[in-house]
């Protein structure tokens, strides 16, 4: 029997790339999908086979992070060797509008899975999708040793999940790790996140389908990497003999303004003629500058990024230009 993995958040950006990676390694992959009135699987439709075909290795199960008994039942039934917990309310701006919901899903959702593991005695390895947002106002560069100073309900919920993951490792001996991932993007990035919003707008403006791009804080700096490379780091973390926590980042930082100029340059336009400031995209508090120090991941996981923000902007803009309708399935 090969290795079996459960991915929560399989319909999201990272879940889709991770499912591809694990299937390519011969895994059997189970994915948690929450109920929706419309299809939420466009990022993984190319992986889903007819359920009647016997040699399929990808299986989808309905379930929600708010439903602990369903999560416990699925763990009991599927007996995964590895659990990649990627599901979350992941939009920082939305977390200011919906702080209680964000805490219930992004925070308590993690505890529900860890507790189901503890009670059942399931010997699975657990990956928690921790975030550079947890560093918040802490000055760069940020490493595993940097104290957290969360600046949003999302970040506070992720800090809670980070410590619950560590607590279950230290108190109960679970194999549970935190990947502290800095921003990572791709053509599959959700359309509300700033990189995708910019790449999409640059391509639409170049095609004459849009006139203006409205943005909030152009000065914020982020350490932007390429999502397919980051899911490789997640997998490597769970292959180590001992569980530990790792920062995953490029070590470079660019402003939102820089990313705008990269995308508009790609389509041959002067961004200053098309971008307008819009107050509605400002946050009650924003993280000013994130730059990760991923030395530990380099040393212990032999993981290194190869795609940096200028090339990432090109990849994302080109994908929008080629086939905007199909972009989320690339
Ligand atoms: P994403 O595209 O927003 O995907 C989030 C996933 O969570 C989706 O599959 C979503 O399902 C699912 N989900 C949300 N609420 C749920 C609920 N109540 N029950 C079950 N599933 C639920 O996020 P991503 O960019 O792939 O990120 C993956 C994880 O890494 C997240 O935890 C995120 O917070 C974290 N993270 C991301 C980054 C980054 O730069 N991308 C950096 C650090 C950490 P639907 O498809 O139905 O919405
Ligand atoms: O914002 C600024 C905004 O929403 C980046 C999530 O994956 O990464 C992501 O969180 C910056 C912020 O990502 C707009 O104020 C300006 O300073 O793309 P974002 P994020 O907040 O960094 C972390 C690591 C995660 O863990 C999260 O899950 O861009 N910004 N104007 C804007 N942002 C958006 N979304 N839209 C704008 O119009």
């Amino acid at each position: 029997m090969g290795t079996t993995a459960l991915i929560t958040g399989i319909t999201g950006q990272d879940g889709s790339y991770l499912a591809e990676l694990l299937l390519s390694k011969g895994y059997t992959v189970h994915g948690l999908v929450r109920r929706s009135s419309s299809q939420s699987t466009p990022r993984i439709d190319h992986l889903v086979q007819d359920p009647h075909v016997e040699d399929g290795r990808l299986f989808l199960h309905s379930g929600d992070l708010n439903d602990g008994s369903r999560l416990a039942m699925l763990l009991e039934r599927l007996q995964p060797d590895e659990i990649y917990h990627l599901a979350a309310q992941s939009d920082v701006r939305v977390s200011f509008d919906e702080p209680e919901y964000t805490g219930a899903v992004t925070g308590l959702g993690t505890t529900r899975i860890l507790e189901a593991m503890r009670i059942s005695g399931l010997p699975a390895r657990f990956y928690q999708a921790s975030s550079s947002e947890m560093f918040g106002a802490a000055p760069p560069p940020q490493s595993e040793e940097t104290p957290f100073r969360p600046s949003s309900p999302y970040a506070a919920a992720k800090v809670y999940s980070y410590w619950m993951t560590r607590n279950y490792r230290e108190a109960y001996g679970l194999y549970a790790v935190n990947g502290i991932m800095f921003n990572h993007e791709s053509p599959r990035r959700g359309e509300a996140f700033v990189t995708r919003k910019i790449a999409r707008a640059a391509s639409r403006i170049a095609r004459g389908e849009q006139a203006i791009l409205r943005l909030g804080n152009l000065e914020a700096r982020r350490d932007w990497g390429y999502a397919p490379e980051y899911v490789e780091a997640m997998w490597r973390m769970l292959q180590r003999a001992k569980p530990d926590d790792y920062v995953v980042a490029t070590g470079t930082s660019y402003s939102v303004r820089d990313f705008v100029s990269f995308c508009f340059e790609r389509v041959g336009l002067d961004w200053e003629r098309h971008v307008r400031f819009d107050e509605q995209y400002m946050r009650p508090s924003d993280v000013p500058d994130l730059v990760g120090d991923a030395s530990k991941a380099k040393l212990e996981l032999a993981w290194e990024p190869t795609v940096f923000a200028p090339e990432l902007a090109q990849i994302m803009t080109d994908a929008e230009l080629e086939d905007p309708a199909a972009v989320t399935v690339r």
Side-chain angles (χ1 to χ4, degrees), residues 50-248:
D50 180 339
H52 304 102
V53 174
E54 285 201 352
D55 64 351
R57 284 186 287 111
L58 174 65
F59 303 92
L60 302 181
H61 308 270
S62 66
D64 194 293
L65 288 182
N66 279 317
D67 186 353
S69 60
R70 173 67 173 160
L71 297 172
M73 195 277 271
L74 283 174
L75 293 199
E76 188 73 36
R77 200 175 92 204
L78 304 174
Q79 296 282 310
D81 302 298
E82 298 174 3
I83 299 172
Y84 295 88
H85 175 39
L86 310 183
Q89 190 304 91
S90 71
D91 188 312
V92 176
R93 178 68 193 82
V94 166
S95 80
F96 287 101
D97 300 329
E98 302 181 30
E100 184 183 329
Y101 175 77
T102 302
V105 171
T106 304
L108 275 176
T110 309
T111 304
R112 293 188 183 104
I113 299 176
L114 288 167
E115 189 62 357
M117 288 175 68
R118 182 185 73 80
I119 290 171
S120 66
L122 181 73
R125 296 184 168 204
F126 175 85
Y127 173 88
Q128 164 59 17
S130 283
S131 167
S132 53
E133 279 293 301
M134 301 188 306
F135 296 121
Q142 295 94 1
S143 75
E144 294 82 0
E145 307 307 320
T146 305
F148 300 135
R149 286 182 60 190
S151 307
S152 67
Y154 167 80
K158 283 287 183 185
V159 170
Y160 167 74
S161 282
Y162 169 93
W163 282 111
M164 289 304 280
T165 300
R166 282 194 66 159
N167 183 246
Y168 274 63
R169 178 165 88 215
E170 289 160 9
Y172 305 118
L174 262 61
Y175 189 113
V177 310
N178 286 287
I180 308 172
M181 301 260 161
F182 283 61
N183 298 54
H184 44 280
E185 321 289 316
S186 74
R188 294 184 196 171
R189 190 56 145 146
E191 288 169 9
F193 295 99
V194 81
T195 54
R196 177 82 191 280
K197 182 175 170 182
I198 295 166
R200 191 168 142 79
S203 121
R204 284 172 55 82
I205 292 169
R207 282 200 306 271
E209 294 167 6
Q210 182 175 334
I212 297 297
L213 166 60
R214 296 179 197 284
L215 293 170
N217 182 6
L218 293 184
E219 311 311 325
R221 300 184 72 84
R222 290 290 182 275
D223 181 333
W224 280 298
Y226 187 39
E229 298 190 332
Y230 284 50
V231 301
E232 170 73 28
M234 295 176 189
W235 176 76
R236 288 189 189 199
M237 277 178 222
L238 289 198
Q239 311 314 308
R240 299 277 298 164
K242 279 181 153 176
D244 205 348
D245 308 318
Y246 296 90
V247 158
V248 177

